[in-house]
């Protein structure tokens, strides 16, 4: 599914920009051992600690070199020329910006959380303020709430609901990895950290910080 998502995103891009596509792979992921599977030669790989999806995305972000960072989902369909459309809406890529795009689910989903980014799209200066694509203390849940609320608080939030990255939020049944991300323990951890950070005004994170 990850390679199919990559194929879709690259096909929908304009071809006018240099795109860097990075996969995060758990250090203990042996699912491909002995299968004969190989990533394409032009795919970049970074290895993660298996702490959760936040750590995985952050390690890819820390390894990246681009000026705009984008979280790719395998259940999101980007619009044609999505790279150009993003650049049209961010006037200064050297400024800290979180671009909140539409996901085709309004108003049915998260209508009470207009700050919530289904697809995290940000400039590198904003990612550096956050500490990665997400604040590194999170495991999974509530990281996106924190991201959107921090952007609002810091004056970095830019809404672009007219630009739709279609999210198939009622897609396939969750696999074991996704079930683990949405566990009660991760929900409790995320909610407690979110409340703590909200009370403190969503302080900046530390770029490259690894949380055990």
């Amino acid at each position: 599914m990850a390679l199919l998502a990559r194929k879709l995103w690259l096909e929908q891009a304009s071809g006018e920009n240099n795109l860097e596509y990075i996969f995060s792979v758990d250090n203990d992921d042996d699912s491909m051992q002995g299968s004969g599977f190989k990533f394409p030669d032009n795919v970049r790989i970074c290895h993660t600690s298996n702490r959760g999806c936040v750590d995985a995305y952050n390690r890819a972000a820390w390894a990246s070199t681009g000026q705009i960072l984008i979280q790719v989902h395998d259940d999101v369909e980007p619009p044609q020329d999505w790279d150009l459309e993003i650049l049209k809406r961010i006037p200064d890529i050297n400024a800290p910006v979180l671009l909140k795009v539409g996901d085709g689910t309004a108003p049915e989903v998260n209508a009470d959380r207009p700050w919530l980014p289904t697809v995290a799209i940000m400039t590198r200066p904003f990612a550096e303020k956050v500490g990665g694509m997400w604040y590194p203390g999170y495991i999974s849940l509530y990281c996106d709430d924190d991201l959107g609320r921090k952007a609002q608080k810091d004056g970095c939030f830019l809404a672009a609901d007219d630009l739709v990255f279609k999210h198939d939020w009622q897609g396939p049944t969750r696999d074991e990895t996704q079930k683990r991300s949405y566990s009660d323990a991760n929900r409790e951890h995320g909610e407690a950290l979110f409340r703590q950070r909200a009370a403190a005004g969503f302080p900046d994170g530390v770029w490259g910080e690894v949380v055990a």
Side-chain angles (χ1 to χ4, degrees), residues 61-206:
W62 301 334
S64 71
T65 61
Q67 286 302 105
I68 296 180
L69 283 67
I70 303 170
Q71 171 200 22
V72 172
H73 297 246
D74 58 22
D75 62 354
V76 168
E77 180 181 349
Q80 183 62 47
D81 297 338
W82 53 267
D83 51 325
L84 296 182
E85 294 299 328
I86 288 171
L87 288 170
K88 285 179 186 177
R89 289 162 174 81
I90 300 179
D92 182 3
I93 62 173
N94 295 310
V97 174
L98 175 71
L99 186 70
K100 193 268 185 182
V101 298
D103 64 8
T105 66
E108 296 87 357
V109 182
N110 297 320
D112 59 337
R113 298 153 75 193
W115 59 81
L116 195 71
T118 299
V119 181
I121 301 172
M122 66 196 73
T123 59
R124 179 168 292 275
F126 182 70
E128 290 172 347
K129 283 173 62 66
V130 172
M133 290 210 72
W134 318 99
Y135 179 71
Y138 289 97
I139 299 172
S140 54
L141 297 172
Y142 284 89
C143 66
D144 44 3
D145 283 283
D146 189 303
L147 192 72
R149 292 292 297 276
K150 176 175 177 56
Q152 289 180 327
K153 177 257 178 186
D154 291 357
C156 303
F157 188 88
L158 181 58
D161 292 318
D162 61 304
L163 179 57
V164 176
F165 287 68
K166 189 176 180 182
H167 183 208
D168 183 16
W169 66 281
Q170 291 182 316
T173 302
R174 292 173 178 165
D175 61 16
E176 291 306 311
T177 298
Q178 197 174 20
K179 288 177 182 177
R180 187 167 65 247
S181 290
Y182 282 81
S183 70
D184 290 341
N186 285 353
R187 186 175 301 279
E188 291 169 5
H189 174 276
E191 183 175 7
L193 180 57
F194 177 78
R195 291 183 183 280
Q196 174 188 329
R197 284 183 43 77
F202 298 105
D204 290 350
V206 177

